[in-house]
Amino acid sequence: MSKQDVEVGRSSPHHSPHLKIKSISAQLLAACSKYLIMLNIGMGISYPTIAIPPILNSSTGLSLNQDEASWFASLVFIWQPVGSISSVPMSGLGRKRSMFYLQIPLFIGWVLPFFAETVWELYIAASIMGIGIGFMQAPIATYIGEVTLPQYRGLLACIAYCFLTLGSVCVYAIDVIVGNWRHTALYCAVMPPLTAVILYIIPESPIWLVSQGRYADAKKALAWLRGWVSESEIEPEFKTILVHNSPKFAALVDNEIPTVSGDFDMDTKDPVKSETYKEIKYEQQSNTAQTDVDTGLEVSKPETEKEKEPNWSGNNKNEEPFIRFLARPEMYRPLLLSAVYLYLSNGIGVAVFRPYLVLIFRDFRIEFIDEYIATIAVTTIGLVGNIASVVLMSLIGKRRLTIIAIILCAIGCFGIGIYKVIDDHQPIPPNMTWLAIAFMIAIFFSTNLAVGHMPWVLMSEIFPLRGRTLATGVVAGFGNFLQFLGTKLFITYVDKMLLSGTFFMYGGTFLVGLIYLYFFMFETEGRSLDEIVALFRGEK
C-alpha cells in the first residue's frame, strides 16, 4: 500500500450509476449542515447593513452615531477569533456535536436585537453572534473535507459559499419585505433550530472517530456517507482512513506492514486483528516472531527490523514535539498562504465595506435605483459568481480561478476609485452613474468567484491531520481579526483618504497579493489530502 493510496476516498466501491447517485446524495445531505450554517453566517454578518441606516443619527428611538455604528458593524468579527481559538478544546466533542451545541449562541444572537433598547444591547447581540460564528468555523471547515470524496470535495465546499452569499441576499430581502430591522432579526432566528435538526440526522466525521479509536462508529458513519451501503462495501476506503488517521495504524505505511493473525473486534478498539487486514502483508517476509505489546498477538517481522518496531499504542512516545512540528514546511507554508489569502479575503474589499454598502450607494447619488434595491442587486450578482465558481473550479482549478478573480477585484476597486475622484471634482451626470454599479458588480462577482471563499475552501484540505484543528482555528481567528480591523477602520479610511483613496488602496493591495499567490499557491483541485500535504512538504 503506497502513501498515495492512504487517503479517504482514494478507493471507492461505487461504480454503478445507482450507487454513485446514492453516494453523492448522502454526501450532499451531510454537506447541508454546513450549507445552513453558512446561510446563517451570511445573514449574521450582513445584518448590520440593513440595521445601521435606519438608526444612524436617528432622531427617534434607538440611535447610533458613526463611531457606535462602526463598533456595531465590526464587533461580530472581533469576537470570532475568540470563538475560533476556543473551538480547539471543543474538538474533543467531535465535529457534529460541536456544530449542534453552537446553534444556541447563534439563536440568542438573533433574538436579542428584537428586544434591544440601547446600543450596548446591540453590542452584546453582535458579540454573541460573533462568538458563535467563530466557534463554528473550525468544525465546519474540517467536516466537509473529512466526509466527502476528493472528486466532490471542492464542488461541495464551493456550494457552501453560495449559501453564504444567499444569506446576505435573504437578510436584505426580508428587510425590504417587512420594512423593520427588528422583525428581520426575529425571522432570521428560525435558522439555528432548523440547522440543529439537520445536524441531528447526519453522522460524525469518520476520520475524527478513527482518531478517537472509535472504529466501529467510524465504519458505520462511512457506510452512511457513501450512500447507506453495507460495511463490507466501504472496507477498502476504511482501511486507508485507518492507516492515514490512526496512530496505531501509522506504521502500516510503506514497508512497515506486519502480518497479523486473529479476528478484528471493533468494540475493543484494537487495531491489530482481523480477517479484513490479513491481506495487508509485510513486504519483507519475516523469520522471527514477536509478540505485540498491546494485544499479545503474534506479529511477524524480520530480525533485522526489530529496531524499527511500530508503536501500536495510542501514545506515540517518539512523536515529534508539536512546536517543532509547526516549523515543518507542510505546516508553516499553508499557514503563510492562508494568512496572505485571508488578508485579501477578509482584510479588504467586500468583507469590510459590506456593512456600509447602503451608505456607499447613497454617496454615489444614483437616481435610477433605490440604495436598498441596489444592495440586493449587486449581492445577487455575487451569488452568480458563486455559481460560476462551482462550475469553473473543476474545469480550470482553484489557482487559475484565484488569479482571474483577484485581477477582476483590482479592476473594480480602481474603477470605483477613479469614479469617485471624478465625482468629487465634478458630479457625474445621472446617465453615467451606472458605472458605479458596474464597478461594484465586478467587485462582488469576483469576490464570490474566488477571493471571498477560496481561502476557507483551501483551509479544509491543505493542513496535515495532526495540526488541522489547531491550524484551522488559528487561521480562521486571524481572518476574523482582519475583518474586524478592516470593518472598524473603514470609516476612518474614508475620513482620511476619501472613498476614492480607500478603494485605490484596496486595488493596490490586491495586486501585491496576486504576485505572492502566483508564485506560492499550489493547485489542490482533484488531489488527495495526502498529496496536497506532500506538495507543501516539497515532494513532487
mmCIF file with all atom_site columns, all heavy atoms in Angstrom, residues 417-436:
data_model
loop_
_atom_site.group_PDB
_atom_site.id
_atom_site.type_symbol
_atom_site.label_atom_id
_atom_site.label_alt_id
_atom_site.label_comp_id
_atom_site.label_asym_id
_atom_site.label_entity_id
_atom_site.label_seq_id
_atom_site.pdbx_PDB_ins_code
_atom_site.Cartn_x
_atom_site.Cartn_y
_atom_site.Cartn_z
_atom_site.occupancy
_atom_site.B_iso_or_equiv
_atom_site.pdbx_formal_charge
_atom_site.auth_seq_id
_atom_site.auth_comp_id
_atom_site.auth_asym_id
_atom_site.auth_atom_id
_atom_site.pdbx_PDB_model_num
ATOM 1   N N   . GLY A 1 417 ? -12.416 53.891 -7.511  1.00 0.00 ? 417 GLY A N   1
ATOM 2   C CA  . GLY A 1 417 ? -11.524 54.974 -7.110  1.00 0.00 ? 417 GLY A CA  1
ATOM 3   C C   . GLY A 1 417 ? -11.508 56.097 -8.132  1.00 0.00 ? 417 GLY A C   1
ATOM 4   O O   . GLY A 1 417 ? -11.628 57.288 -7.777  1.00 0.00 ? 417 GLY A O   1
ATOM 5   N N   . ILE A 1 418 ? -11.370 55.750 -9.413  1.00 0.00 ? 418 ILE A N   1
ATOM 6   C CA  . ILE A 1 418 ? -11.368 56.756 -10.480 1.00 0.00 ? 418 ILE A CA  1
ATOM 7   C C   . ILE A 1 418 ? -12.723 57.459 -10.571 1.00 0.00 ? 418 ILE A C   1
ATOM 8   O O   . ILE A 1 418 ? -12.799 58.695 -10.721 1.00 0.00 ? 418 ILE A O   1
ATOM 9   C CB  . ILE A 1 418 ? -11.012 56.086 -11.829 1.00 0.00 ? 418 ILE A CB  1
ATOM 10  C CG1 . ILE A 1 418 ? -9.561  55.565 -11.793 1.00 0.00 ? 418 ILE A CG1 1
ATOM 11  C CG2 . ILE A 1 418 ? -11.198 57.068 -12.977 1.00 0.00 ? 418 ILE A CG2 1
ATOM 12  C CD1 . ILE A 1 418 ? -9.195  54.702 -12.983 1.00 0.00 ? 418 ILE A CD1 1
ATOM 13  N N   . TYR A 1 419 ? -13.799 56.676 -10.445 1.00 0.00 ? 419 TYR A N   1
ATOM 14  C CA  . TYR A 1 419 ? -15.163 57.235 -10.493 1.00 0.00 ? 419 TYR A CA  1
ATOM 15  C C   . TYR A 1 419 ? -15.335 58.314 -9.422  1.00 0.00 ? 419 TYR A C   1
ATOM 16  O O   . TYR A 1 419 ? -15.849 59.406 -9.696  1.00 0.00 ? 419 TYR A O   1
ATOM 17  C CB  . TYR A 1 419 ? -16.180 56.114 -10.307 1.00 0.00 ? 419 TYR A CB  1
ATOM 18  C CG  . TYR A 1 419 ? -17.626 56.557 -10.286 1.00 0.00 ? 419 TYR A CG  1
ATOM 19  C CD1 . TYR A 1 419 ? -18.394 56.565 -11.449 1.00 0.00 ? 419 TYR A CD1 1
ATOM 20  C CD2 . TYR A 1 419 ? -18.220 56.980 -9.101  1.00 0.00 ? 419 TYR A CD2 1
ATOM 21  C CE1 . TYR A 1 419 ? -19.721 56.965 -11.419 1.00 0.00 ? 419 TYR A CE1 1
ATOM 22  C CE2 . TYR A 1 419 ? -19.539 57.393 -9.064  1.00 0.00 ? 419 TYR A CE2 1
ATOM 23  C CZ  . TYR A 1 419 ? -20.293 57.386 -10.227 1.00 0.00 ? 419 TYR A CZ  1
ATOM 24  O OH  . TYR A 1 419 ? -21.602 57.792 -10.192 1.00 0.00 ? 419 TYR A OH  1
ATOM 25  N N   . LYS A 1 420 ? -14.887 58.010 -8.190  1.00 0.00 ? 420 LYS A N   1
ATOM 26  C CA  . LYS A 1 420 ? -15.082 58.963 -7.091  1.00 0.00 ? 420 LYS A CA  1
ATOM 27  C C   . LYS A 1 420 ? -14.161 60.169 -7.212  1.00 0.00 ? 420 LYS A C   1
ATOM 28  O O   . LYS A 1 420 ? -14.530 61.279 -6.792  1.00 0.00 ? 420 LYS A O   1
ATOM 29  C CB  . LYS A 1 420 ? -14.875 58.259 -5.756  1.00 0.00 ? 420 LYS A CB  1
ATOM 30  C CG  . LYS A 1 420 ? -16.040 57.400 -5.308  1.00 0.00 ? 420 LYS A CG  1
ATOM 31  C CD  . LYS A 1 420 ? -17.343 58.194 -5.230  1.00 0.00 ? 420 LYS A CD  1
ATOM 32  C CE  . LYS A 1 420 ? -17.298 59.315 -4.208  1.00 0.00 ? 420 LYS A CE  1
ATOM 33  N NZ  . LYS A 1 420 ? -18.550 60.132 -4.209  1.00 0.00 ? 420 LYS A NZ  1
ATOM 34  N N   . VAL A 1 421 ? -12.946 59.988 -7.761  1.00 0.00 ? 421 VAL A N   1
ATOM 35  C CA  . VAL A 1 421 ? -12.062 61.142 -7.976  1.00 0.00 ? 421 VAL A CA  1
ATOM 36  C C   . VAL A 1 421 ? -12.741 62.143 -8.909  1.00 0.00 ? 421 VAL A C   1
ATOM 37  O O   . VAL A 1 421 ? -12.761 63.359 -8.659  1.00 0.00 ? 421 VAL A O   1
ATOM 38  C CB  . VAL A 1 421 ? -10.695 60.688 -8.556  1.00 0.00 ? 421 VAL A CB  1
ATOM 39  C CG1 . VAL A 1 421 ? -9.927  61.897 -9.083  1.00 0.00 ? 421 VAL A CG1 1
ATOM 40  C CG2 . VAL A 1 421 ? -9.879  59.981 -7.493  1.00 0.00 ? 421 VAL A CG2 1
ATOM 41  N N   . ILE A 1 422 ? -13.313 61.622 -9.988  1.00 0.00 ? 422 ILE A N   1
ATOM 42  C CA  . ILE A 1 422 ? -14.014 62.485 -10.943 1.00 0.00 ? 422 ILE A CA  1
ATOM 43  C C   . ILE A 1 422 ? -15.257 63.093 -10.303 1.00 0.00 ? 422 ILE A C   1
ATOM 44  O O   . ILE A 1 422 ? -15.521 64.304 -10.420 1.00 0.00 ? 422 ILE A O   1
ATOM 45  C CB  . ILE A 1 422 ? -14.387 61.685 -12.207 1.00 0.00 ? 422 ILE A CB  1
ATOM 46  C CG1 . ILE A 1 422 ? -13.128 61.191 -12.915 1.00 0.00 ? 422 ILE A CG1 1
ATOM 47  C CG2 . ILE A 1 422 ? -15.241 62.530 -13.148 1.00 0.00 ? 422 ILE A CG2 1
ATOM 48  C CD1 . ILE A 1 422 ? -13.399 60.250 -14.075 1.00 0.00 ? 422 ILE A CD1 1
ATOM 49  N N   . ASP A 1 423 ? -16.028 62.259 -9.577  1.00 0.00 ? 423 ASP A N   1
ATOM 50  C CA  . ASP A 1 423 ? -17.288 62.717 -8.975  1.00 0.00 ? 423 ASP A CA  1
ATOM 51  C C   . ASP A 1 423 ? -17.049 63.777 -7.908  1.00 0.00 ? 423 ASP A C   1
ATOM 52  O O   . ASP A 1 423 ? -17.870 64.686 -7.727  1.00 0.00 ? 423 ASP A O   1
ATOM 53  C CB  . ASP A 1 423 ? -18.033 61.521 -8.385  1.00 0.00 ? 423 ASP A CB  1
ATOM 54  C CG  . ASP A 1 423 ? -19.434 61.891 -7.920  1.00 0.00 ? 423 ASP A CG  1
ATOM 55  O OD1 . ASP A 1 423 ? -20.204 62.450 -8.725  1.00 0.00 ? 423 ASP A OD1 1
ATOM 56  O OD2 . ASP A 1 423 ? -19.744 61.611 -6.745  1.00 0.00 ? 423 ASP A OD2 1
ATOM 57  N N   . ASP A 1 424 ? -15.930 63.665 -7.174  1.00 0.00 ? 424 ASP A N   1
ATOM 58  C CA  . ASP A 1 424 ? -15.645 64.638 -6.118  1.00 0.00 ? 424 ASP A CA  1
ATOM 59  C C   . ASP A 1 424 ? -15.256 66.000 -6.685  1.00 0.00 ? 424 ASP A C   1
ATOM 60  O O   . ASP A 1 424 ? -15.436 67.032 -6.020  1.00 0.00 ? 424 ASP A O   1
ATOM 61  C CB  . ASP A 1 424 ? -14.514 64.118 -5.216  1.00 0.00 ? 424 ASP A CB  1
ATOM 62  C CG  . ASP A 1 424 ? -14.956 62.937 -4.356  1.00 0.00 ? 424 ASP A CG  1
ATOM 63  O OD1 . ASP A 1 424 ? -16.175 62.767 -4.185  1.00 0.00 ? 424 ASP A OD1 1
ATOM 64  O OD2 . ASP A 1 424 ? -14.085 62.176 -3.878  1.00 0.00 ? 424 ASP A OD2 1
ATOM 65  N N   . HIS A 1 425 ? -14.690 66.017 -7.890  1.00 0.00 ? 425 HIS A N   1
ATOM 66  C CA  . HIS A 1 425 ? -14.312 67.282 -8.517  1.00 0.00 ? 425 HIS A CA  1
ATOM 67  C C   . HIS A 1 425 ? -15.446 67.867 -9.354  1.00 0.00 ? 425 HIS A C   1
ATOM 68  O O   . HIS A 1 425 ? -15.654 69.086 -9.381  1.00 0.00 ? 425 HIS A O   1
ATOM 69  C CB  . HIS A 1 425 ? -13.069 67.083 -9.403  1.00 0.00 ? 425 HIS A CB  1
ATOM 70  C CG  . HIS A 1 425 ? -11.807 66.937 -8.617  1.00 0.00 ? 425 HIS A CG  1
ATOM 71  N ND1 . HIS A 1 425 ? -11.438 65.749 -8.022  1.00 0.00 ? 425 HIS A ND1 1
ATOM 72  C CD2 . HIS A 1 425 ? -10.832 67.843 -8.325  1.00 0.00 ? 425 HIS A CD2 1
ATOM 73  C CE1 . HIS A 1 425 ? -10.287 65.915 -7.396  1.00 0.00 ? 425 HIS A CE1 1
ATOM 74  N NE2 . HIS A 1 425 ? -9.892  67.179 -7.558  1.00 0.00 ? 425 HIS A NE2 1
ATOM 75  N N   . GLN A 1 426 ? -16.179 67.014 -10.036 1.00 0.00 ? 426 GLN A N   1
ATOM 76  C CA  . GLN A 1 426 ? -17.323 67.441 -10.832 1.00 0.00 ? 426 GLN A CA  1
ATOM 77  C C   . GLN A 1 426 ? -18.346 66.314 -10.842 1.00 0.00 ? 426 GLN A C   1
ATOM 78  O O   . GLN A 1 426 ? -18.044 65.204 -11.276 1.00 0.00 ? 426 GLN A O   1
ATOM 79  C CB  . GLN A 1 426 ? -16.894 67.777 -12.262 1.00 0.00 ? 426 GLN A CB  1
ATOM 80  C CG  . GLN A 1 426 ? -18.033 68.290 -13.118 1.00 0.00 ? 426 GLN A CG  1
ATOM 81  C CD  . GLN A 1 426 ? -17.554 68.682 -14.510 1.00 0.00 ? 426 GLN A CD  1
ATOM 82  O OE1 . GLN A 1 426 ? -16.358 68.671 -14.782 1.00 0.00 ? 426 GLN A OE1 1
ATOM 83  N NE2 . GLN A 1 426 ? -18.484 69.019 -15.388 1.00 0.00 ? 426 GLN A NE2 1
ATOM 84  N N   . PRO A 1 427 ? -19.540 66.570 -10.307 1.00 0.00 ? 427 PRO A N   1
ATOM 85  C CA  . PRO A 1 427 ? -20.536 65.491 -10.186 1.00 0.00 ? 427 PRO A CA  1
ATOM 86  C C   . PRO A 1 427 ? -20.751 64.733 -11.482 1.00 0.00 ? 427 PRO A C   1
ATOM 87  O O   . PRO A 1 427 ? -20.865 65.329 -12.557 1.00 0.00 ? 427 PRO A O   1
ATOM 88  C CB  . PRO A 1 427 ? -21.805 66.238 -9.753  1.00 0.00 ? 427 PRO A CB  1
ATOM 89  C CG  . PRO A 1 427 ? -21.300 67.465 -9.076  1.00 0.00 ? 427 PRO A CG  1
ATOM 90  C CD  . PRO A 1 427 ? -20.040 67.862 -9.796  1.00 0.00 ? 427 PRO A CD  1
ATOM 91  N N   . ILE A 1 428 ? -20.780 63.412 -11.369 1.00 0.00 ? 428 ILE A N   1
ATOM 92  C CA  . ILE A 1 428 ? -21.024 62.549 -12.524 1.00 0.00 ? 428 ILE A CA  1
ATOM 93  C C   . ILE A 1 428 ? -22.447 62.775 -13.029 1.00 0.00 ? 428 ILE A C   1
ATOM 94  O O   . ILE A 1 428 ? -23.395 62.822 -12.231 1.00 0.00 ? 428 ILE A O   1
ATOM 95  C CB  . ILE A 1 428 ? -20.832 61.071 -12.135 1.00 0.00 ? 428 ILE A CB  1
ATOM 96  C CG1 . ILE A 1 428 ? -19.398 60.813 -11.670 1.00 0.00 ? 428 ILE A CG1 1
ATOM 97  C CG2 . ILE A 1 428 ? -21.202 60.142 -13.279 1.00 0.00 ? 428 ILE A CG2 1
ATOM 98  C CD1 . ILE A 1 428 ? -18.358 60.859 -12.756 1.00 0.00 ? 428 ILE A CD1 1
ATOM 99  N N   . PRO A 1 429 ? -22.655 62.930 -14.346 1.00 0.00 ? 429 PRO A N   1
ATOM 100 C CA  . PRO A 1 429 ? -24.021 63.077 -14.874 1.00 0.00 ? 429 PRO A CA  1
ATOM 101 C C   . PRO A 1 429 ? -24.890 61.878 -14.493 1.00 0.00 ? 429 PRO A C   1
ATOM 102 O O   . PRO A 1 429 ? -24.403 60.742 -14.434 1.00 0.00 ? 429 PRO A O   1
ATOM 103 C CB  . PRO A 1 429 ? -23.800 63.134 -16.398 1.00 0.00 ? 429 PRO A CB  1
ATOM 104 C CG  . PRO A 1 429 ? -22.384 63.578 -16.564 1.00 0.00 ? 429 PRO A CG  1
ATOM 105 C CD  . PRO A 1 429 ? -21.636 63.000 -15.400 1.00 0.00 ? 429 PRO A CD  1
ATOM 106 N N   . PRO A 1 430 ? -26.167 62.094 -14.224 1.00 0.00 ? 430 PRO A N   1
ATOM 107 C CA  . PRO A 1 430 ? -27.057 60.998 -13.812 1.00 0.00 ? 430 PRO A CA  1
ATOM 108 C C   . PRO A 1 430 ? -27.066 59.806 -14.775 1.00 0.00 ? 430 PRO A C   1
ATOM 109 O O   . PRO A 1 430 ? -27.217 58.660 -14.347 1.00 0.00 ? 430 PRO A O   1
ATOM 110 C CB  . PRO A 1 430 ? -28.430 61.673 -13.753 1.00 0.00 ? 430 PRO A CB  1
ATOM 111 C CG  . PRO A 1 430 ? -28.130 63.115 -13.489 1.00 0.00 ? 430 PRO A CG  1
ATOM 112 C CD  . PRO A 1 430 ? -26.859 63.399 -14.237 1.00 0.00 ? 430 PRO A CD  1
ATOM 113 N N   . ASN A 1 431 ? -26.881 60.075 -16.071 1.00 0.00 ? 431 ASN A N   1
ATOM 114 C CA  . ASN A 1 431 ? -26.932 58.975 -17.034 1.00 0.00 ? 431 ASN A CA  1
ATOM 115 C C   . ASN A 1 431 ? -25.641 58.156 -17.064 1.00 0.00 ? 431 ASN A C   1
ATOM 116 O O   . ASN A 1 431 ? -25.530 57.175 -17.800 1.00 0.00 ? 431 ASN A O   1
ATOM 117 C CB  . ASN A 1 431 ? -27.230 59.510 -18.436 1.00 0.00 ? 431 ASN A CB  1
ATOM 118 C CG  . ASN A 1 431 ? -26.119 60.425 -18.962 1.00 0.00 ? 431 ASN A CG  1
ATOM 119 O OD1 . ASN A 1 431 ? -25.385 61.022 -18.175 1.00 0.00 ? 431 ASN A OD1 1
ATOM 120 N ND2 . ASN A 1 431 ? -26.050 60.548 -20.272 1.00 0.00 ? 431 ASN A ND2 1
ATOM 121 N N   . MET A 1 432 ? -24.646 58.558 -16.244 1.00 0.00 ? 432 MET A N   1
ATOM 122 C CA  . MET A 1 432 ? -23.386 57.821 -16.174 1.00 0.00 ? 432 MET A CA  1
ATOM 123 C C   . MET A 1 432 ? -23.168 57.162 -14.820 1.00 0.00 ? 432 MET A C   1
ATOM 124 O O   . MET A 1 432 ? -22.153 56.497 -14.602 1.00 0.00 ? 432 MET A O   1
ATOM 125 C CB  . MET A 1 432 ? -22.214 58.760 -16.474 1.00 0.00 ? 432 MET A CB  1
ATOM 126 C CG  . MET A 1 432 ? -22.212 59.348 -17.881 1.00 0.00 ? 432 MET A CG  1
ATOM 127 S SD  . MET A 1 432 ? -22.080 58.061 -19.154 1.00 0.00 ? 432 MET A SD  1
ATOM 128 C CE  . MET A 1 432 ? -20.418 57.478 -18.875 1.00 0.00 ? 432 MET A CE  1
ATOM 129 N N   . THR A 1 433 ? -24.102 57.352 -13.898 1.00 0.00 ? 433 THR A N   1
ATOM 130 C CA  . THR A 1 433 ? -23.915 56.779 -12.560 1.00 0.00 ? 433 THR A CA  1
ATOM 131 C C   . THR A 1 433 ? -23.986 55.260 -12.555 1.00 0.00 ? 433 THR A C   1
ATOM 132 O O   . THR A 1 433 ? -23.612 54.628 -11.562 1.00 0.00 ? 433 THR A O   1
ATOM 133 C CB  . THR A 1 433 ? -24.975 57.345 -11.583 1.00 0.00 ? 433 THR A CB  1
ATOM 134 O OG1 . THR A 1 433 ? -26.282 57.140 -12.141 1.00 0.00 ? 433 THR A OG1 1
ATOM 135 C CG2 . THR A 1 433 ? -24.753 58.829 -11.337 1.00 0.00 ? 433 THR A CG2 1
ATOM 136 N N   . TRP A 1 434 ? -24.459 54.684 -13.668 1.00 0.00 ? 434 TRP A N   1
ATOM 137 C CA  . TRP A 1 434 ? -24.491 53.226 -13.750 1.00 0.00 ? 434 TRP A CA  1
ATOM 138 C C   . TRP A 1 434 ? -23.085 52.633 -13.685 1.00 0.00 ? 434 TRP A C   1
ATOM 139 O O   . TRP A 1 434 ? -22.918 51.456 -13.346 1.00 0.00 ? 434 TRP A O   1
ATOM 140 C CB  . TRP A 1 434 ? -25.185 52.773 -15.033 1.00 0.00 ? 434 TRP A CB  1
ATOM 141 C CG  . TRP A 1 434 ? -24.475 53.218 -16.295 1.00 0.00 ? 434 TRP A CG  1
ATOM 142 C CD1 . TRP A 1 434 ? -24.707 54.359 -16.991 1.00 0.00 ? 434 TRP A CD1 1
ATOM 143 C CD2 . TRP A 1 434 ? -23.423 52.535 -16.966 1.00 0.00 ? 434 TRP A CD2 1
ATOM 144 N NE1 . TRP A 1 434 ? -23.868 54.453 -18.069 1.00 0.00 ? 434 TRP A NE1 1
ATOM 145 C CE2 . TRP A 1 434 ? -23.059 53.340 -18.090 1.00 0.00 ? 434 TRP A CE2 1
ATOM 146 C CE3 . TRP A 1 434 ? -22.747 51.336 -16.758 1.00 0.00 ? 434 TRP A CE3 1
ATOM 147 C CZ2 . TRP A 1 434 ? -22.050 52.972 -18.976 1.00 0.00 ? 434 TRP A CZ2 1
ATOM 148 C CZ3 . TRP A 1 434 ? -21.743 50.969 -17.648 1.00 0.00 ? 434 TRP A CZ3 1
ATOM 149 C CH2 . TRP A 1 434 ? -21.403 51.772 -18.734 1.00 0.00 ? 434 TRP A CH2 1
ATOM 150 N N   . LEU A 1 435 ? -22.056 53.450 -13.996 1.00 0.00 ? 435 LEU A N   1
ATOM 151 C CA  . LEU A 1 435 ? -20.679 52.963 -13.929 1.00 0.00 ? 435 LEU A CA  1
ATOM 152 C C   . LEU A 1 435 ? -20.314 52.514 -12.507 1.00 0.00 ? 435 LEU A C   1
ATOM 153 O O   . LEU A 1 435 ? -19.610 51.520 -12.327 1.00 0.00 ? 435 LEU A O   1
ATOM 154 C CB  . LEU A 1 435 ? -19.711 54.052 -14.402 1.00 0.00 ? 435 LEU A CB  1
ATOM 155 C CG  . LEU A 1 435 ? -19.653 54.311 -15.907 1.00 0.00 ? 435 LEU A CG  1
ATOM 156 C CD1 . LEU A 1 435 ? -18.850 55.565 -16.221 1.00 0.00 ? 435 LEU A CD1 1
ATOM 157 C CD2 . LEU A 1 435 ? -19.043 53.092 -16.610 1.00 0.00 ? 435 LEU A CD2 1
ATOM 158 N N   . ALA A 1 436 ? -20.796 53.251 -11.519 1.00 0.00 ? 436 ALA A N   1
ATOM 159 C CA  . ALA A 1 436 ? -20.516 52.879 -10.126 1.00 0.00 ? 436 ALA A CA  1
ATOM 160 C C   . ALA A 1 436 ? -21.112 51.511 -9.808  1.00 0.00 ? 436 ALA A C   1
ATOM 161 O O   . ALA A 1 436 ? -20.474 50.681 -9.143  1.00 0.00 ? 436 ALA A O   1
ATOM 162 C CB  . ALA A 1 436 ? -21.073 53.934 -9.178  1.00 0.00 ? 436 ALA A CB  1
#
